[in-house]
């Protein structure tokens, strides 16, 4: 589907949602230029603007399931996060999702959001006191997500299913790669499945709505460094809360938040991340199995979001770069001895 088609599809979606009550003045592409996700701003002559997210990756049922969960979460988060997520537009008390079909079999799906107010952005490189505040704040946010997890619709996907699907795709030659790379992927996929089984992921690890791929550009804070709003839902999923830790290690890194896509493990090894983790643990204590899962979460990102879905999530130049780095840097780093025992000792677990 051509990029020029998206604006027209969004106009068709709005017509079905609103009829002819509010005429569209303009449709503007505000998508991140590194991702294949598409976000548009719609302006009108006689109402406030709205945002549209359009996707053609995956299947409609997955898109629908994810956005129903997001919409439920947005309407159920407790104070002070009740306005943290943008509200999806509903029609006749149901989340509105427009489903578009072409004669050639291609399709796309559109969901609309009201805009949210943005307060302050964190500085690129955080001071120690800001790292501690951020650790406590994420802990409070995760607790709020835990409190509403049982109120949300069940998710049909989890990390185990994702990695099993990756293995199946490789066996079926659906992902083209050389034999050496194939062996590397299968070896790490087996490591992941074996190690998540050791911590009883499916029974002992609580799943909550988490927002992986946080970075400073994806959320704003109030003057006292409380989470104020978040726009980017592209990596939302129901999973273990430690799924958020890798990206927060990037936010608190000594280098500072990195806007260039890279998945180096180094940030998980920094003392600054340990400061963050200790403050988090004091507010919302972690368990030993969750700490042991941190390394596997990193492995999962490389396997699932770089190798399996990277060619769909990222523009081609970024995807190729990340996949090359995976074999040259990320996977060798996974074979190194990550300091789980040190973290357990520091947190007194």
């Amino acid at each position: 589907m051509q990029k020029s088609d998206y604006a027209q599809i969004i106009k068709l979606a709005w017509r079905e949602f609103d009829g002819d009550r509010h005429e569209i003045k303009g449709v503007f592409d505000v998508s991140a230029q590194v991702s294949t996700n598409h976000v548009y701003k719609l302006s009108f002559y006689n109402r406030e603007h709205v945002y549209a997210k359009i996707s053609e990756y995956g299947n409609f049922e997955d898109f629908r399931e994810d956005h129903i969960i997001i919409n439920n979460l947005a309407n159920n988060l407790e104070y002070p996060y009740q306005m943290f997520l943008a509200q999806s537009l509903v029609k006749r008390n149901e989340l509105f999702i427009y489903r578009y079909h072409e004669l050639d079999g291609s399709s796309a799906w559109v969901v609309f959001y009201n805009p949210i107010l943005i307060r302050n952005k964190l500085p690129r490189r955080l001071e120690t006191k800001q790292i501690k505040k951020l650790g406590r704040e994420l802990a409070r946010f995760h607790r709020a997500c835990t409190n509403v997890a049982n109120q949300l619709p069940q998710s049909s996907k989890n990390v185990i299913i994702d990695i099993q699907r990756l293995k199946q795709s490789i066996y079926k030659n659906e992902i083209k790669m050389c034999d050496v790379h194939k062996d590397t992927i299968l070896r790490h996929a087996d490591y992941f499945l074996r190690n998540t089984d050791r911590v009883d992921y499916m029974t002992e690890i609580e799943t909550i709505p988490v927002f992986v791929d946080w970075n400073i550009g994806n959320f704003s804070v109030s003057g006292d460094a409380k989470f104020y709003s978040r726009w980017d839902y592209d990596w939302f999923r129901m999973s273990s809360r430690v799924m958020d830790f890798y990206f927060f290690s990037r936010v608190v890194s000594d280098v500072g938040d990195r806007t260039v896509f890279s998945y180096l493990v180094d940030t998980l090894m920094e003392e600054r991340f340990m400061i963050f983790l200790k403050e988090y643990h004091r507010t919302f204590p972690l368990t030993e199995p969750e700490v042991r899962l941190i390394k596997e979460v990193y492995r999962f990102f490389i396997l699932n979001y770089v190798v399996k879905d990277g060619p769909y999530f990222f523009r081609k130049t970024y995807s190729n770069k990340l996949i090359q780095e995976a074999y040259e840097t990320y996977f060798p780093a996974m074979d190194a001895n990550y300091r789980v025992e040190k973290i357990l000792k520091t947190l007194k677990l």
Side-chain angles (χ1 to χ4, degrees), residues 90-266:
V90 299
K91 186 173 184 178
R92 299 187 183 94
N93 294 321
E94 288 189 5
L95 173 66
F96 178 80
I97 302 177
Y98 179 75
R99 192 173 185 178
Y100 174 80
H101 290 285
E102 279 280 12
L103 294 177
D104 63 3
S106 60
S107 57
W109 316 288
V110 178
V111 63
F112 294 112
Y113 295 99
N114 279 318
I116 52 176
L117 296 175
I118 302 295
R119 286 267 182 104
N120 302 316
K121 297 292 181 68
L122 290 173
R124 180 177 176 84
R125 184 184 182 280
L126 305 187
E127 302 296 331
T128 300
K129 64 179 182 180
Q130 293 169 323
I131 294 173
K132 291 181 177 180
K133 279 187 175 182
L134 192 59
R136 295 192 294 269
E137 181 64 5
L138 181 63
R140 286 189 286 264
F141 177 75
H142 277 168
R143 181 178 286 136
C145 289
T146 301
N147 291 343
V148 300
N150 290 337
Q151 302 169 27
L152 305 178
Q154 289 293 314
S155 174
S156 62
K157 304 185 295 294
N158 60 54
V159 295
I160 306 299
I161 291 174
D162 284 338
I163 299 306
Q164 289 172 338
R165 286 177 177 173
L166 169 61
K167 291 184 65 176
Q168 291 171 2
S169 295
I170 292 175
Y171 289 137
K172 294 178 180 178
N173 291 318
E174 294 172 347
I175 303 177
K176 303 302 180 184
M177 60 181 67
C178 67
D179 288 341
V180 173
H181 288 172
K182 184 182 296 185
D183 291 341
T184 298
I185 298 302
L186 291 174
R187 176 166 59 88
H188 280 278
D190 287 337
Y191 283 160
F192 176 84
L193 294 172
R194 184 164 58 248
N195 291 334
T196 51
D197 185 60
R198 283 176 180 167
V199 299
D200 294 325
Y201 180 86
M202 297 300 294
T203 58
E204 296 298 321
I205 303 296
E206 182 176 16
T207 57
I208 66 172
V210 295
F211 296 85
V212 296
D213 196 20
W214 294 74
N215 59 54
I216 290 176
N218 284 348
F219 65 95
S220 62
V221 296
S222 60
D224 56 353
K226 304 291 186 183
F227 290 155
Y228 183 71
S229 64
R230 176 178 168 87
W231 165 249
D232 183 2
Y233 302 146
D234 292 341
W235 300 88
F236 165 85
R237 69 183 298 139
M238 298 291 293
S239 193
S240 164
R241 55 182 168 150
V242 300
M243 185 73 76
D244 279 338
F245 284 168
Y246 171 66
F247 288 96
F248 271 92
S249 77
R250 289 159 54 101
V251 174
V252 304
S253 169
D254 190 50
V255 175
D257 189 40
R258 304 174 187 192
T259 55
V260 176
F261 282 85
S262 177
Y263 289 97
L264 296 173
V265 72
D266 305 41

Side-chain angles (χ1 to χ4, degrees), residues 274 277-278 281-282 285-288 291 340-349:
M274 289 300 302
L277 211 54
K278 284 190 286 187
H281 183 64
R282 289 191 181 105
L286 293 158
T287 65
E288 179 180 339
V291 171
V340 171
E341 299 303 325
K342 179 177 179 179
I343 294 177
L344 290 171
K345 184 177 180 180
T346 300
L347 301 183
K348 299 180 180 179
L349 291 173

Side-chain angles (χ1 to χ4, degrees), residues 12-30:
L12 292 173
W14 183 257
R15 184 178 303 165
E16 181 169 310
F17 173 76
D18 192 60
D20 296 321
R21 291 190 307 154
H22 298 98
E23 182 182 356
I24 295 175
K25 184 178 181 180
V27 179
F28 308 96
D29 187 353
V30 293

Side-chain angles (χ1 to χ4, degrees), residues 70-86:
I70 292 170
N71 189 49
N72 275 267
L73 182 61
N75 286 288
N76 283 284
L77 276 172
E78 61 195 40
Y79 176 85
Y81 308 110
Q82 72 275 24
M83 298 300 292
F84 182 64
L85 299 176

